[in-house]
Amino acid sequence: MADAVQPRVRYAMSEIGEEGEGPRLALLESILDGPTFARLEKIGAGAGWRCADVGAGRGSVSQWLRDRGAEVVSADIMPRFLSGPDVRTHDICDGPVEDSAFDLVHCRALLAHVADFDAAVDNLVSSARPAGWVTVAEPDYGTMMECDPDHPRADVFRRFRERSASGSRMDSFVGRKVHEVLGARLDDVSSEGLTDIVSGGSLRARYRRFTMEVARPLSARRDDYDEADYDELLACFDDPTFRYIDCLWVAVWGKRPAG
């Protein structure tokens, strides 16, 4: 029997166990769900719609849509946290979830991690029916910056963001690309960008700290930091006197052309 084909996983956190990745994604949902749900309400998603939630994570968007009467396919390359009537293991780089089938195709924090960006975008759009909606939200780390360059923790934070920007396991600047690529493929395109000033101990800082904590073994294998540096970095996210501008979350949505 031939060996099973393994998915092309670029997602750095795929190596993290469920006990770390589940709570980490829950914190990210706490940050992003409010703006996401507001955008979906704006376009009228709900009862009678057939939706694809691609890279569905823990499934909060899928559940929100189901609670409003939509039929939802929850698709993920690693659907370990998903439940529901239609959960699929799917790599969006390999093809549409279904061809021309959905009133709404949604993804969030997905395109930064895919192995083939252009294929993934094409397949997201191809999954939507003509005149169906496609909504995308992705981070751009180009905005991340310590507020006070003279703060005692500023140097270690600066090294962290520079390493993050040069990493190979995600595209740290994908947010700035999505408007152009979706604008060339969709009609009635709208967008928004959201960031915040983050203080140590706040929700966004706790999310970043938890992510760094569970990713510590990966960083150690890559020799990104020594132990003292890593402890100093984690302390940035606990210190209420340390403030930084967070990454920019860029959301773009529009309709697949009807013709």
Side-chain angles (χ1 to χ4, degrees):
M1 180 181 295
D3 292 338
V5 176
Q6 297 299 311
R8 296 173 291 169
V9 179
R10 185 187 182 191
Y11 184 44
M13 306 307 287
S14 64
E15 301 177 45
I16 302 301
E18 293 183 10
E19 71 284 353
E21 181 67 345
R24 192 189 74 83
L25 290 176
L27 285 168
L28 187 61
E29 288 174 345
S30 297
I31 295 167
L32 298 182
D33 275 359
T36 298
F37 298 160
R39 288 190 294 271
L40 295 178
E41 284 185 334
K42 186 181 298 186
I43 66 174
W49 286 41
R50 188 161 189 255
C51 306
D53 185 16
V54 186
R58 288 180 72 254
S60 64
V61 175
S62 294
Q63 189 58 54
W64 186 90
L65 289 165
R66 289 192 190 101
D67 288 346
R68 281 149 185 78
E71 176 188 346
V72 183
V73 174
S74 303
D76 200 289
I77 198 170
M78 297 180 68
R80 52 184 167 167
F81 302 112
L82 294 174
S83 60
D86 197 342
V87 173
R88 304 185 191 181
T89 301
H90 182 76
D91 185 347
I92 196 62
C93 296
D94 291 340
V97 179
E98 293 177 21
D99 190 52
S100 303
F102 297 99
D103 301 293
L104 168 69
V105 178
H106 167 268
C107 79
R108 184 176 74 185
L110 170 69
L111 296 176
H113 303 287
V114 295
D116 188 334
F117 175 79
D118 290 330
V121 171
D122 285 340
N123 291 328
L124 287 169
V125 175
S126 295
S127 298
R129 65 169 177 79
W133 288 94
V134 178
T135 72
V136 170
E138 296 294 331
D140 192 303
Y141 282 79
T143 59
M144 185 174 271
M145 179 72 67
E146 54 280 1
C147 291
D148 178 3
D150 296 322
H151 191 283
R153 302 196 188 279
D155 282 347
V156 71
F157 186 82
R158 175 183 50 77
R159 294 196 298 273
F160 156 69
R161 60 180 176 78
E162 288 174 352
R163 287 188 177 107
S164 298
S166 62
S168 61
R169 294 299 297 270
M170 68 174 288
D171 182 347
S172 298
F173 304 109
V174 71
R176 66 191 62 183
K177 302 175 184 177
V178 292
H179 191 280
E180 180 179 0
V181 297
L182 289 173
R185 293 166 170 83
L186 302 175
D187 293 335
D188 301 329
V189 173
S190 298
S191 64
E192 67 181 8
L194 299 172
T195 187
D196 204 352
I197 303 293
V198 181
S199 299
S202 66
L203 172 61
R204 285 177 180 248
R206 286 187 283 115
Y207 162 73
R208 192 66 59 190
R209 189 194 196 285
F210 193 85
T211 298
M212 296 305 298
E213 187 65 68
V214 298
R216 191 168 190 155
L218 305 181
S219 295
R221 287 208 306 268
R222 294 195 300 262
D223 294 324
D224 284 351
Y225 300 87
D226 62 28
E227 287 297 310
D229 267 356
Y230 215 93
D231 288 338
E232 189 178 349
L233 173 61
L234 294 178
C236 291
F237 305 112
D238 295 328
D239 184 350
T241 73
F242 181 71
R243 296 174 177 83
Y244 63 93
I245 305 170
D246 207 1
C247 67
L248 179 70
W249 281 91
V250 180
V252 180
W253 61 98
K255 292 183 177 180
R256 182 178 177 180

